[in-house]
Structure formats: structure tokens, C-alpha cells
Amino acid sequence: MRDIIIDTEAKIRFDDAVDAAFGSDKALSGFILAYGQAGRGKSVAADGYHISRNAGAYVRVWQNWSQSAFLQRLLFEVRGSNEDMPRYNGNRCKEIVVHLLQNKRQPLFIDEADRLKVDRIEDLRDIYEMTGVPVVLIGEEGLLGLLAERRRIWSRVVYDIEFGPINAIEVATYGQQAAGLKIQPDLCGRIAEKSEGDFRLVRNMMLLLEKAAKAAGTMQVDSPMLDTVFSSRSWRRK
């Protein structure tokens, strides 16, 4: 099975939003929100944009980061080099980040941003105000509540993209492109329903379906094959 990214509706809207914000001047740029339940493809879309376009600095947030730890990591990624992790204090890191972004404009991708304290979002607002670079915040639904605490942050949101559950058409596309499986629409609907739209669960189902299909000597998925995969585990989301 191939490790691929398919163009879901949400991913297309995400790509268009980042393109628009990055292609605009400071007055039309701002914060971009990509939010939704775990397993909806948010991080995959953001990481895919970052890698495919070789654009921007990408930070994946760790739990309970202090201001210094967060801004040190941000500076490390903005530099985009193999230098050692900076050990400046938070304010000095922010000053250097601003200087670098003023000289070379690039979007900032902050994954699992809902794990940040709101003061770290304020740090990002300071950076945006000085540079006009798009700040892309990726996280679960709690991200909306976090930003709603500060009107001055919320007013700078220029795009918000909700990543909803994967649908039957996207299941069919993913099965075909990732594993070469041919899955009828009604079975794709069952997969989407069973997985509750979770991309990770769909991927795991496809791994088992591919194995079953190869054992049967066909890439056409039938109902008994799918029933066997469904019965192999609970597939319940936590």
C-alpha cells in the first residue's frame, strides 16, 4: 500500500487559503485556522503543503511548552538550517524571528496549536503584526474557544477551514490510489460510517482489505471481505 495524500474538499480549501494569504500583501494576510476532530487530515494537509511547496516553517507543539521553549523551536524552524537549537530567552527569539521574516517572507505552520496557552498565540500575533506573514494554526475544535478569548486575535482570522469526516467518494479515491482497490459506492459508504470519518481508521481498514484482496486474487472488494475486516477489531474511536 502506498503512502499518499488525496485531494479532499477540505485539503483543497486549505491549499487555496494558504496560497491566497501568502500571495497577498500584509493588509490581506492574517491567521488561518484548520480545525476538526483527530484523524480528519488536518496535519496531513498542512505537512503536505509545507513539503510539496518547500514553503514556510513548521512547528508541532509539545505539551506545556513555556514561552522560551516555543519561540526557540519557532526560531530553529524559521532559520531552516542545521544550526543548534537556540538558547536565547523568549523575547530575543521573537526579535530574531521578526528580523528573519522581514527579510524572507514565509508562512508559519503551527500544528496542535490548541495545546498552546493563549499568550503564545499573542506572541504569534506580535510576529504577524511586524511581518505580515500568514500564521496557520492547526488543531482540534478547542482551538476556536482558545482564539475566541481574545477579540484582537479573532479579528485577524482571514480563513477558517473545518476538516470534516471523510466521505464515501473520498474513501473510494483513497482505496484506489493507495492500494489499487476497487470498492463499490455502497461499501465505501459503510467504510465511511464504520470509521466515523476518521482517515487513520480508513487507512488501517485499507491495509487489511488490500491483504484480503491479494489473498483472494482480486482487487475488487466485496461485502464478505469487508465484513471480515469489520469483525477483526472494534474500530471504535476513543
Side-chain angles (χ1 to χ4, degrees):
M1 186 162 145
R2 298 169 55 216
D3 182 17
I4 67 161
I5 301 173
I6 65 169
D7 285 332
T8 64
E9 180 184 347
K11 180 182 178 301
I12 292 170
R13 286 190 287 112
F14 176 86
D15 290 351
D16 289 346
V18 181
D19 283 345
F22 190 42
S24 302
D25 59 23
K26 178 178 178 180
L28 299 176
S29 184
F31 282 74
I32 299 170
L33 308 186
Y35 66 94
Q37 293 182 19
R40 301 301 199 213
K42 308 176 300 295
S43 296
V44 171
D47 194 50
Y49 186 100
H50 167 65
I51 292 173
S52 66
R53 289 166 169 78
N54 192 28
Y58 197 105
V59 173
R60 183 166 281 106
V61 174
W62 287 14
Q63 188 69 22
N64 294 323
W65 258 350
S66 65
Q67 182 191 42
S68 292
F70 172 62
L71 290 171
Q72 285 167 359
R73 171 57 68 174
L74 181 61
L75 173 56
F76 178 82
E77 299 297 342
V78 168
R79 279 176 169 170
S81 65
N82 293 321
E83 296 183 35
D84 292 338
M85 183 66 67
R87 296 302 175 192
Y88 308 115
N89 64 33
N91 192 62
R92 180 57 182 153
C93 286
K94 190 192 295 188
E95 291 173 345
I96 298 173
V97 166
V98 166
H99 175 72
L100 292 172
L101 292 177
Q102 286 174 333
N103 290 329
K104 181 183 178 182
R105 192 166 182 262
Q106 57 179 310
L108 305 180
F109 297 90
I110 313 298
D111 200 357
E112 301 203 27
D114 50 302
R115 304 174 84 179
L116 289 173
K117 292 182 172 64
V118 71
D119 285 346
R120 302 293 72 76
I121 307 294
E122 291 282 11
D123 286 324
L124 291 168
R125 185 178 71 86
D126 289 341
I127 292 168
Y128 162 72
E129 292 290 343
M130 295 299 296
T131 66
V133 302
V135 179
V136 186
L137 303 178
I138 305 113
E140 297 188 22
E141 293 95 329
L143 181 59
L144 299 177
L146 179 67
L147 298 184
E149 294 179 23
R150 305 288 173 92
R151 182 178 295 274
R152 59 179 173 265
I153 297 174
W154 187 256
S155 66
R156 287 164 174 79
V157 174
V158 289
Y159 298 99
D160 62 283
I161 302 97
E162 180 177 9
F163 281 72
I166 184 173
N167 59 42
I169 294 174
E170 292 164 347
V171 167
T173 301
Y174 182 73
Q176 174 63 46
Q177 294 185 10
L181 296 171
K182 299 176 182 178
I183 312 174
Q184 294 299 317
D186 60 322
L187 300 184
C188 289
R190 290 178 60 194
I191 292 170
E193 181 179 3
K194 187 72 171 179
S195 67
E196 298 181 37
D198 189 317
F199 243 118
R200 296 189 187 103
L201 294 185
V202 171
R203 178 200 59 200
N204 294 341
M205 289 177 185
M206 292 301 172
L207 286 168
L208 296 179
L209 285 171
E210 180 187 35
K211 183 177 179 180
K214 287 181 176 179
T218 176
M219 301 312 287
Q220 181 72 52
V221 174
D222 58 23
S223 187
M225 200 181 294
L226 186 59
D227 290 340
T228 299
V229 168
F230 281 176
S231 65
S232 67
R233 52 177 284 194
S234 69
W235 301 108
R236 293 179 62 187
R237 299 178 72 244
K238 303 300 183 183

